[in-house]
Amino acid sequence: MAFDTDIDSDKCLAFIGTGNKNAAKEGALAAVEAAKEAGWEEIKCIEIAGVQGDATNTARMEGYEEGITEAGGEFLTDEVQYADATATKAVDAMNGIMGRYPDGIAIICSNNDDMAIAAARTAQANPAYANTIFLGFDGQQSACEAILEGNLTMSAAQNNYDIGYKAVENMVKYLQGEEYGDVDTGTEIVTKDNAQDRIDRFAEWLA
């Protein structure tokens, strides 16, 4: 059973999840729309990435680029900032971005929520970045709280509870000789409109 990762179909029973690339693409598409609503005419995106060469990082980067481009924006490939998936390095990366782009950038996307929150908070005092869309990935509770507080714009969240549930459900079907197959659990774009609902669901899942 493969849980939300790319794997040779001959080596697993079924694929459960959305895929890092697909989830990142959905996030990028939503970010471009948000940037347009925020008044940006020139929609450029810079990514604060994880570990260079890491498969998960690469998949998310490809998804971001595909989504931004498809929606009519420009993904600045040469400006990708590798921050090793850490908030501390994301702060340094964001300071560097603000130095190179004093007039602001429409979208800053990050490969996880921690980096996205750190980048957004670093830019808070800079008026040129007041309308920048800060996009995270994972939809963690901390990200939901940051979104409600205005410290993050949105996060692309895979439905991890459903991934686990459907994986076990598929395995039971397999063991009982019933039909089973791939399951796309979808991507949730967390914004101020649904962040509290997701926090409430976290409480239910952990109860």
Side-chain angles (χ1 to χ4, degrees), residues 19-56:
N20 282 294
K21 181 178 179 179
N22 290 337
K25 179 178 178 179
E26 290 299 316
L29 292 170
V32 171
E33 289 306 308
K36 291 177 181 178
E37 292 175 6
W40 290 93
E41 295 182 2
E42 188 176 44
I43 299 179
K44 295 183 178 182
C45 173
I46 294 178
E47 178 181 10
I48 299 179
V51 179
Q52 189 169 13
D54 174 74
T56 297

Side-chain angles (χ1 to χ4, degrees), residues 91-195:
V91 169
D92 294 337
M94 192 65 226
N95 280 322
I97 290 170
M98 289 190 292
R100 287 190 296 279
Y101 292 88
D103 296 327
I105 284 287
I107 301 169
I108 301 293
C109 62
S110 299
N111 282 32
N112 64 35
D113 288 330
D114 290 342
M115 291 192 297
I117 293 169
R121 287 176 175 167
T122 301
Q124 274 185 338
N126 189 332
Y129 285 78
N131 293 323
T132 293
I133 304 304
F134 286 90
L135 168 64
F137 193 108
D138 285 327
Q140 299 174 0
Q141 183 163 332
S142 59
C144 295
E145 293 168 352
I147 289 169
L148 290 174
E149 293 165 359
N151 295 324
L152 182 65
T153 313
M154 58 178 58
S155 180
Q158 300 180 79
N159 296 306
N160 295 328
Y161 180 88
D162 289 339
I163 291 173
Y165 186 92
K166 294 297 182 181
V168 172
E169 186 178 62
N170 246 10
M171 184 63 73
V172 171
K173 288 180 179 179
Y174 168 74
L175 293 173
Q176 293 179 342
E178 299 175 8
E179 290 187 8
Y180 62 89
D182 295 348
V183 180
D184 186 343
T185 55
T187 303
E188 180 178 13
I189 305 303
V190 186
T191 65
K192 280 190 175 181
D193 293 334
N194 61 358

